[in-house]
Coordinates of all heavy atoms in Angstrom, one line a residue:
W750 N 132.8 86.5 131.8 CA 131.6 86.1 132.5 C 131.4 84.6 132.5 O 131.3 84.0 133.6 CB 130.4 86.7 131.7 CG 129.3 87.2 132.7 CD1 129.4 88.2 133.6 CD2 128.1 86.8 132.8 NE1 128.3 88.4 134.3 CE2 127.4 87.5 133.7 CE3 127.4 85.8 132.1 CZ2 126.1 87.3 134.0 CZ3 126.0 85.6 132.5 CH2 125.4 86.4 133.4
F751 N 131.6 83.9 131.4 CA 131.5 82.5 131.3 C 132.8 81.9 130.9 O 133.5 82.5 130.1 CB 130.4 82.0 130.2 CG 129.0 82.3 130.6 CD1 128.3 83.3 130.1 CD2 128.4 81.5 131.6 CE1 127.0 83.6 130.4 CE2 127.1 81.7 131.9 CZ 126.5 82.8 131.4
S752 N 133.2 80.8 131.5 CA 134.4 80.2 131.1 C 134.2 79.4 129.8 O 133.0 79.2 129.4 CB 135.0 79.3 132.2 OG 134.1 78.2 132.3
T753 N 135.2 79.0 129.1 CA 135.1 78.3 127.9 C 134.5 76.9 128.0 O 134.1 76.3 127.0 CB 136.4 78.2 127.1 OG1 137.4 77.6 127.9 CG2 136.9 79.6 126.7
N754 N 134.5 76.4 129.2 CA 134.0 75.1 129.4 C 132.4 75.1 129.5 O 131.9 74.0 129.4 CB 134.6 74.5 130.7 CG 136.1 74.2 130.5 OD1 136.6 74.1 129.4 ND2 136.8 74.2 131.6
H755 N 131.9 76.2 129.8 CA 130.5 76.3 130.0 C 129.8 76.6 128.7 O 130.2 77.4 128.0 CB 130.1 77.3 131.1 CG 130.5 76.9 132.4 ND1 131.7 77.4 133.0 CD2 129.9 76.0 133.4 CE1 131.8 76.9 134.3 NE2 130.7 76.1 134.5
K756 N 128.7 75.9 128.4 CA 127.8 76.3 127.3 C 126.7 77.0 127.7 O 126.0 76.8 128.7 CB 127.5 75.0 126.5 CG 128.6 74.2 126.0 CD 128.1 72.9 125.4 CE 129.3 72.1 124.9 NZ 129.0 70.9 124.3
V757 N 126.3 78.0 126.9 CA 125.2 78.8 127.1 C 124.1 78.4 126.2 O 124.3 78.5 124.9 CB 125.5 80.3 127.1 CG1 124.2 81.1 127.3 CG2 126.5 80.7 128.0
I758 N 122.9 78.0 126.6 CA 121.9 77.6 125.7 C 120.8 78.6 125.8 O 120.3 78.9 126.9 CB 121.3 76.2 126.1 CG1 122.5 75.2 125.9 CG2 120.2 75.8 125.2 CD1 122.1 73.8 126.3
I759 N 120.5 79.2 124.7 CA 119.3 80.2 124.6 C 118.1 79.4 124.4 O 118.0 78.7 123.4 CB 119.6 81.2 123.5 CG1 120.9 81.9 123.8 CG2 118.5 82.2 123.5 CD1 121.4 82.7 122.7
I760 N 117.0 79.6 125.2 CA 115.8 78.9 125.1 C 114.7 79.9 124.6 O 114.5 80.9 125.3 CB 115.4 78.2 126.4 CG1 116.5 77.1 126.7 CG2 114.1 77.5 126.2 CD1 116.3 76.4 127.9
Y761 N 114.0 79.5 123.6 CA 112.9 80.3 123.1 C 111.6 79.6 123.5 O 111.5 78.5 123.5 CB 112.9 80.3 121.5 CG 113.6 81.4 120.9 CD1 113.7 81.3 119.5 CD2 114.0 82.5 121.5 CE1 114.3 82.4 118.8 CE2 114.6 83.6 120.8 CZ 114.8 83.5 119.5 OH 115.4 84.5 118.8
L762 N 110.7 80.4 123.9 CA 109.3 79.9 124.1 C 108.5 80.7 123.1 O 108.4 81.9 123.1 CB 108.8 80.3 125.5 CG 109.4 79.4 126.6 CD1 108.8 79.9 128.0 CD2 109.1 78.0 126.4
C763 N 108.0 79.9 122.2 CA 107.2 80.6 121.1 C 105.9 81.1 121.7 O 105.4 80.7 122.8 CB 106.8 79.5 120.1 SG 108.2 79.0 119.1
S764 N 105.2 82.0 121.0 CA 104.1 82.6 121.5 C 102.9 81.6 121.7 O 102.1 81.8 122.6 CB 103.6 83.7 120.5 OG 103.3 83.2 119.3
N765 N 102.9 80.6 120.9 CA 101.8 79.6 121.0 C 102.2 78.3 121.9 O 101.6 77.3 121.9 CB 101.3 79.1 119.6 CG 102.5 78.5 118.8 OD1 103.6 78.5 119.3 ND2 102.1 78.2 117.6
R766 N 103.4 78.4 122.5 CA 103.9 77.4 123.4 C 104.0 76.1 122.7 O 103.9 75.0 123.4 CB 103.0 77.3 124.6 CG 103.2 78.5 125.5 CD 102.4 78.3 126.8 NE 101.0 78.4 126.5 CZ 100.1 78.0 127.4 NH1 100.4 77.3 128.4 NH2 98.8 78.2 127.1
K767 N 104.3 76.0 121.4 CA 104.4 74.7 120.8 C 105.8 74.1 120.9 O 105.9 72.9 121.1 CB 104.0 74.8 119.3 CG 102.5 74.8 119.1 CD 102.2 74.6 117.7 CE 100.7 74.6 117.5 NZ 100.3 74.4 116.1
T768 N 106.8 74.9 120.6 CA 108.1 74.3 120.5 C 109.1 75.1 121.5 O 108.9 76.2 121.8 CB 108.7 74.4 119.1 OG1 108.7 75.8 118.8 CG2 107.9 73.7 118.1
I769 N 110.0 74.3 122.0 CA 111.1 74.9 122.8 C 112.3 74.5 122.0 O 112.6 73.2 121.8 CB 111.2 74.4 124.2 CG1 109.9 74.8 124.9 CG2 112.4 74.8 124.9 CD1 109.8 74.2 126.3
S770 N 113.1 75.4 121.6 CA 114.3 75.1 120.8 C 115.5 75.7 121.4 O 115.5 76.8 121.8 CB 114.1 75.5 119.3 OG 114.0 76.9 119.3
S771 N 116.5 74.9 121.4 CA 117.8 75.4 121.9 C 118.6 76.0 120.7 O 118.7 75.3 119.6 CB 118.6 74.3 122.6 OG 118.9 73.3 121.7
L772 N 119.3 77.1 120.8 CA 119.8 77.8 119.6 C 121.3 77.7 119.5 O 121.9 77.2 118.5 CB 119.3 79.2 119.6 CG 117.8 79.4 119.3 CD1 117.5 80.9 119.3 CD2 117.5 78.8 118.0
A773 N 122.0 78.2 120.4 CA 123.4 78.5 120.3 C 124.3 78.1 121.4 O 123.8 78.0 122.6 CB 123.6 80.0 120.0
T774 N 125.5 77.8 121.2 CA 126.5 77.6 122.3 C 127.6 78.7 122.2 O 127.9 79.0 121.1 CB 127.0 76.2 122.2 OG1 127.7 76.1 121.0 CG2 126.0 75.1 122.4
M775 N 128.0 79.1 123.3 CA 129.1 80.2 123.3 C 130.5 79.6 123.0 O 131.3 80.2 122.5 CB 129.0 80.9 124.7 CG 127.8 81.7 124.8 SD 127.7 83.1 123.8 CE 128.8 84.2 124.5
S776 N 130.6 78.3 123.5 CA 132.0 77.8 123.3 C 132.3 77.4 121.9 O 131.5 76.9 121.2 CB 132.1 76.5 124.2 OG 133.3 75.9 124.0
G777 N 133.5 77.7 121.5 CA 134.0 77.3 120.1 C 134.7 76.0 120.0 O 135.1 75.6 119.0
K778 N 134.8 75.3 121.2 CA 135.4 74.1 121.2 C 134.4 72.9 121.4 O 133.3 73.1 121.8 CB 136.4 74.0 122.5 CG 137.4 75.0 122.3 CD 138.4 74.9 123.6 CE 139.4 76.0 123.5 NZ 140.2 76.0 124.8
G779 N 134.8 71.7 121.1 CA 134.0 70.5 121.3 C 133.0 70.3 120.1 O 133.2 70.9 119.0
K780 N 132.1 69.4 120.4 CA 131.2 69.0 119.3 C 129.9 69.8 119.2 O 129.0 69.5 118.5 CB 130.9 67.5 119.5 CG 132.1 66.6 119.4 CD 131.7 65.2 119.5 CE 132.9 64.3 119.4 NZ 132.5 62.9 119.5
G781 N 129.8 70.8 120.1 CA 128.6 71.6 120.0 C 127.4 70.9 120.7 O 126.3 71.3 120.4
G782 N 127.6 70.0 121.6 CA 126.5 69.4 122.3 C 125.7 68.5 121.5 O 124.5 68.4 121.7
R783 N 126.3 67.7 120.6 CA 125.6 66.8 119.8 C 125.0 65.7 120.6 O 123.9 65.1 120.3 CB 126.4 66.2 118.7 CG 126.5 67.1 117.5 CD 127.3 66.4 116.4 NE 128.4 67.3 116.1 CZ 129.5 66.9 115.4 NH1 129.6 65.6 115.1 NH2 130.4 67.7 115.1
G784 N 125.7 65.2 121.7 CA 125.2 64.1 122.5 C 124.2 64.5 123.5 O 123.6 63.6 124.2
E785 N 123.9 65.8 123.7 CA 123.0 66.2 124.7 C 121.6 66.5 124.2 O 120.8 67.0 125.0 CB 123.5 67.5 125.3 CG 124.9 67.5 125.8 CD 125.5 68.8 126.2 OE1 124.7 69.8 126.2 OE2 126.7 68.9 126.4
K786 N 121.2 65.9 123.1 CA 119.9 66.1 122.5 C 118.9 65.4 123.3 O 119.0 64.2 123.6 CB 119.9 65.6 121.1 CG 118.6 66.1 120.4 CD 118.7 65.7 118.9 CE 117.4 66.1 118.2 NZ 117.4 65.7 116.8
K787 N 117.8 66.1 123.7 CA 116.8 65.6 124.5 C 115.6 65.2 123.6 O 115.3 65.9 122.6 CB 116.2 66.6 125.5 CG 115.5 66.0 126.6 CD 115.6 66.8 127.9 CE 114.9 65.9 129.0 NZ 114.7 66.6 130.2
S788 N 115.0 64.0 123.9 CA 113.9 63.6 123.0 C 112.6 64.4 123.2 O 112.3 64.9 124.3 CB 113.6 62.1 123.3 OG 113.2 61.9 124.6
T789 N 111.9 64.6 122.1 CA 110.7 65.4 122.1 C 109.5 64.5 122.0 O 109.4 63.7 121.1 CB 110.7 66.5 120.9 OG1 111.9 67.2 121.0 CG2 109.5 67.4 121.1
T790 N 108.5 64.7 122.9 CA 107.4 63.8 122.8 C 106.4 64.2 121.7 O 106.5 65.4 121.2 CB 106.6 63.9 124.2 OG1 106.1 65.2 124.4 CG2 107.5 63.4 125.3
S791 N 105.6 63.3 121.3 CA 104.6 63.7 120.2 C 103.6 64.6 120.7 O 103.1 65.4 119.9 CB 104.0 62.4 119.7 OG 103.6 61.6 120.7
S792 N 103.4 64.6 122.0 CA 102.4 65.6 122.5 C 103.0 67.1 122.5 O 102.4 68.0 122.1 CB 102.1 65.3 124.0 OG 101.5 64.1 124.1
A793 N 104.3 67.1 122.7 CA 105.0 68.4 122.6 C 105.1 68.9 121.2 O 104.9 70.1 120.9 CB 106.4 68.4 123.3
K794 N 105.3 68.0 120.3 CA 105.3 68.4 118.9 C 103.9 68.9 118.4 O 103.9 69.8 117.6 CB 105.7 67.2 118.0 CG 107.2 66.8 118.1 CD 107.5 65.6 117.2 CE 108.9 65.1 117.4 NZ 109.1 63.9 116.7
A795 N 102.9 68.3 118.9 CA 101.6 68.7 118.5 C 101.0 69.9 119.4 O 100.0 70.5 119.0 CB 100.5 67.6 118.6
G796 N 101.8 70.3 120.4 CA 101.3 71.3 121.3 C 100.1 71.0 122.2 O 99.3 71.8 122.5
L797 N 100.1 69.7 122.6 CA 99.0 69.2 123.4 C 99.4 68.9 124.8 O 100.6 68.6 125.0 CB 98.4 68.0 122.8 CG 97.8 68.1 121.4 CD1 97.4 66.8 120.8 CD2 96.6 69.0 121.4
Q798 N 98.5 68.8 125.7 CA 98.8 68.3 127.1 C 98.4 66.8 127.3 O 99.0 66.2 128.1 CB 98.0 69.2 128.1 CG 98.3 70.7 128.0 CD 99.7 70.9 128.4 OE1 100.2 70.4 129.3 NE2 100.3 71.8 127.6
F799 N 97.5 66.3 126.5 CA 97.1 65.0 126.6 C 98.2 64.1 126.0 O 98.8 64.4 125.0 CB 95.8 64.7 125.9 CG 94.6 64.9 126.8 CD1 94.5 66.1 127.5 CD2 93.7 63.9 126.9 CE1 93.4 66.2 128.4 CE2 92.6 64.1 127.7 CZ 92.4 65.2 128.5
P800 N 98.4 62.9 126.5 CA 99.5 62.0 126.1 C 99.1 61.3 124.7 O 98.3 60.4 124.7 CB 99.6 61.0 127.2 CG 98.3 61.0 127.8 CD 97.7 62.3 127.7
V801 N 99.8 61.7 123.7 CA 99.5 61.2 122.4 C 100.0 59.8 122.2 O 99.3 58.9 121.7 CB 100.2 62.1 121.3 CG1 100.1 61.5 119.9 CG2 99.5 63.5 121.2
G802 N 101.2 59.5 122.8 CA 101.7 58.2 122.7 C 100.9 57.1 123.4 O 100.7 56.0 123.0
R803 N 100.4 57.5 124.6 CA 99.5 56.6 125.4 C 98.2 56.3 124.6 O 97.8 55.2 124.6 CB 99.3 57.2 126.8 CG 98.6 56.2 127.7 CD 98.3 56.9 129.0 NE 99.6 57.2 129.6 CZ 99.7 57.9 130.8 NH1 98.6 58.4 131.4 NH2 100.9 58.3 131.3
I804 N 97.6 57.3 124.1 CA 96.4 57.2 123.3 C 96.6 56.3 122.1 O 95.8 55.4 121.8 CB 95.8 58.5 123.0 CG1 95.3 59.3 124.2 CG2 94.7 58.4 122.0 CD1 94.8 60.7 124.0
G805 N 97.7 56.5 121.4 CA 98.0 55.6 120.3 C 98.3 54.2 120.7 O 97.8 53.2 120.1
R806 N 98.9 54.0 121.9 CA 99.1 52.6 122.4 C 97.7 52.0 122.7 O 97.5 50.8 122.4 CB 100.0 52.6 123.7 CG 100.3 51.2 124.1 CD 101.2 51.3 125.3 NE 100.5 51.7 126.5 CZ 100.8 52.7 127.4 NH1 101.8 53.4 127.1 NH2 100.0 52.9 128.4
Y807 N 96.8 52.8 123.3 CA 95.5 52.2 123.6 C 94.7 51.8 122.4 O 94.0 50.9 122.3 CB 94.7 53.2 124.5 CG 95.2 53.3 125.9 CD1 94.9 54.5 126.6 CD2 96.0 52.3 126.5 CE1 95.3 54.6 127.9 CE2 96.5 52.5 127.8 CZ 96.2 53.6 128.5 OH 96.6 53.8 129.8
L808 N 94.9 52.7 121.3 CA 94.2 52.4 120.1 C 94.7 51.1 119.4 O 94.0 50.3 118.9 CB 94.4 53.6 119.1 CG 93.5 54.8 119.3 CD1 93.9 55.9 118.4 CD2 92.1 54.5 119.2
R809 N 96.0 50.9 119.5 CA 96.7 49.7 118.9 C 96.2 48.5 119.7 O 95.9 47.4 119.2 CB 98.2 49.8 118.9 CG 98.7 50.6 117.8 CD 100.2 50.4 117.6 NE 100.9 50.6 118.9 CZ 101.4 51.7 119.4 NH1 101.3 52.7 118.7 NH2 102.0 51.7 120.5
Q810 N 96.3 48.5 121.1 CA 96.0 47.4 121.9 C 94.5 47.1 121.9 O 94.1 45.9 122.2 CB 96.5 47.6 123.3 CG 98.0 47.6 123.5 CD 98.5 47.9 124.9 OE1 97.6 48.4 125.7 NE2 99.7 47.8 125.1
G811 N 93.6 48.0 121.6 CA 92.2 47.8 121.7 C 91.7 47.1 120.4 O 90.5 46.7 120.4
K812 N 92.5 46.9 119.4 CA 92.1 46.2 118.2 C 90.9 46.9 117.5 O 90.0 46.2 117.1 CB 91.9 44.7 118.5 CG 92.9 44.0 119.1 CD 93.9 43.4 118.1 CE 94.9 42.5 118.9 NZ 96.1 42.4 118.4
Y813 N 90.9 48.2 117.5 CA 89.7 48.9 116.9 C 89.8 48.8 115.4 O 88.8 48.9 114.7 CB 89.7 50.4 117.4 CG 89.4 50.5 118.9 CD1 90.5 50.8 119.7 CD2 88.2 50.2 119.5 CE1 90.3 50.9 121.1 CE2 88.0 50.3 120.7 CZ 89.0 50.6 121.6 OH 88.8 50.7 122.9
A814 N 91.0 48.7 114.9 CA 91.2 48.6 113.4 C 92.5 47.9 113.2 O 93.3 47.8 114.0 CB 91.3 50.0 112.8
T815 N 92.5 47.3 111.9 CA 93.8 46.6 111.6 C 94.9 47.5 111.3 O 96.1 47.2 111.6 CB 93.6 45.7 110.4 OG1 93.1 46.5 109.3 CG2 92.5 44.6 110.7
R816 N 94.7 48.7 110.9 CA 95.7 49.7 110.5 C 95.3 51.0 111.2 O 94.2 51.3 111.3 CB 95.9 49.9 109.1 CG 96.5 48.6 108.4 CD 96.2 48.6 106.9 NE 96.4 49.8 106.3 CZ 97.0 50.1 105.1 NH1 97.5 49.0 104.4 NH2 97.0 51.2 104.5
M817 N 96.3 51.8 111.5 CA 96.1 53.1 112.2 C 97.1 54.1 111.6 O 98.3 53.8 111.6 CB 96.2 53.0 113.7 CG 95.9 54.3 114.4 SD 96.1 54.2 116.2 CE 97.9 53.9 116.3
G818 N 96.6 55.3 111.2 CA 97.5 56.3 110.7 C 98.3 57.0 111.8 O 97.9 56.9 113.0
A819 N 99.3 57.7 111.5 CA 100.1 58.4 112.5 C 99.4 59.6 113.1 O 99.7 60.0 114.2 CB 101.4 58.9 111.8
G820 N 98.4 60.2 112.3 CA 97.7 61.3 112.9 C 96.5 61.0 113.7 O 95.9 61.9 114.3
A821 N 96.1 59.8 113.7 CA 94.9 59.4 114.5 C 95.0 59.6 116.0 O 94.2 60.2 116.6 CB 94.6 57.9 114.2
P822 N 96.1 59.2 116.7 CA 96.2 59.5 118.1 C 96.4 61.0 118.4 O 95.9 61.5 119.4 CB 97.4 58.7 118.6 CG 98.1 58.4 117.4 CD 97.2 58.3 116.2
V823 N 97.0 61.7 117.5 CA 97.1 63.2 117.7 C 95.8 63.8 117.6 O 95.4 64.7 118.5 CB 98.1 63.8 116.6 CG1 98.2 65.3 116.8 CG2 99.5 63.1 116.7
Y824 N 95.0 63.5 116.6 CA 93.7 64.0 116.4 C 92.7 63.7 117.7 O 92.0 64.5 118.2 CB 93.0 63.5 115.2 CG 91.7 64.2 114.8 CD1 91.8 65.4 114.0 CD2 90.5 63.7 115.1 CE1 90.6 66.1 113.7 CE2 89.4 64.4 114.8 CZ 89.4 65.5 114.0 OH 88.3 66.2 113.7
L825 N 92.8 62.4 118.1 CA 92.0 62.0 119.2 C 92.4 62.7 120.5 O 91.5 63.1 121.3 CB 92.0 60.5 119.4 CG 91.1 59.9 120.5 CD1 89.7 60.2 120.3 CD2 91.3 58.4 120.5
A826 N 93.7 62.9 120.7 CA 94.2 63.6 121.9 C 93.7 65.1 121.9 O 93.3 65.6 122.9 CB 95.7 63.5 122.0
A827 N 93.7 65.6 120.7 CA 93.3 67.1 120.6 C 91.8 67.1 120.9 O 91.3 68.1 121.5 CB 93.6 67.6 119.2
V828 N 91.0 66.2 120.4 CA 89.6 66.2 120.6 C 89.3 66.1 122.1 O 88.4 66.8 122.7 CB 88.9 65.2 119.8 CG1 87.4 64.9 120.2 CG2 88.9 65.5 118.2
L829 N 89.9 65.1 122.7 CA 89.7 64.8 124.1 C 90.1 66.0 125.0 O 89.5 66.4 126.0 CB 90.5 63.6 124.6 CG 89.9 62.3 124.1 CD1 90.9 61.1 124.4 CD2 88.5 62.0 124.6
E830 N 91.3 66.7 124.6 CA 91.7 67.9 125.3 C 90.7 69.0 125.2 O 90.4 69.7 126.1 CB 93.1 68.3 124.8 CG 93.7 69.4 125.6 CD 95.1 69.7 125.1 OE1 95.9 68.7 124.9 OE2 95.4 70.8 125.1
N831 N 90.2 69.2 124.0 CA 89.2 70.2 123.7 C 87.9 70.0 124.5 O 87.3 70.9 125.0 CB 88.9 70.3 122.2 CG 88.1 71.5 121.9 OD1 87.9 72.4 122.6 ND2 87.7 71.6 120.6
V832 N 87.4 68.7 124.6 CA 86.2 68.4 125.3 C 86.4 68.6 126.8 O 85.6 69.2 127.5 CB 85.8 66.9 125.1 CG1 84.8 66.4 126.0 CG2 85.3 66.8 123.6
C833 N 87.6 68.3 127.3 CA 87.9 68.6 128.7 C 88.0 70.1 129.1 O 87.7 70.4 130.1 CB 89.1 67.8 129.1 SG 88.9 66.0 129.3
A834 N 88.5 70.8 128.0 CA 88.7 72.3 128.3 C 87.3 73.0 128.3 O 87.2 74.1 128.9 CB 89.5 72.9 127.2
E835 N 86.3 72.4 127.7 CA 85.0 73.1 127.6 C 84.0 72.6 128.7 O 84.3 71.8 129.4 CB 84.4 72.9 126.2 CG 85.1 73.6 125.1 CD 84.5 73.4 123.8 OE1 83.5 72.6 123.7 OE2 85.0 74.0 122.8

């Protein structure tokens, strides 16, 4: 069905649509697709539609505080998404 040159990637969609993970390759040759890794956005990691990176950039550029935690833009994006959904 598939030749040995083609790789088959099985894609899972979780029930809560948070993660998409590639699982297996059919080919026994090569490096297993190590160079084909796609970057995952922080919005996708948090399961949000709002842009976490952009909100974090706005928080940093706005000089609202001297320091900002890693969870602050995620929380703010989740709140804004919730307000827009209601």
Side-chain angles (χ1 to χ4, degrees):
W750 218 65
F751 290 102
S752 67
T753 56
N754 295 335
H755 292 97
K756 295 179 181 178
V757 178
I758 299 175
I759 302 168
I760 297 178
Y761 265 173
L762 286 177
C763 293
S764 59
N765 55 3
R766 292 186 283 161
K767 279 192 177 179
T768 57
I769 297 175
S770 60
S771 61
L772 290 180
T774 58
M775 291 292 284
S776 172
K778 298 178 183 177
K780 296 183 180 179
R783 276 186 236 160
E785 302 171 12
K786 188 173 181 184
K787 199 156 188 193
S788 61
T789 308
T790 63
S791 49
S792 298
K794 287 180 187 174
L797 298 172
Q798 300 299 318
F799 269 54
V801 173
R803 187 179 302 172
I804 291 173
R806 187 178 76 232
Y807 290 159
L808 284 173
R809 280 193 313 270
Q810 289 176 351
K812 307 267 189 213
Y813 296 107
T815 55
R816 291 162 39 139
M817 183 182 65
V823 178
Y824 190 86
L825 184 56
V828 168
L829 290 174
E830 187 175 317
N831 192 9
V832 167
C833 287
E835 290 180 0

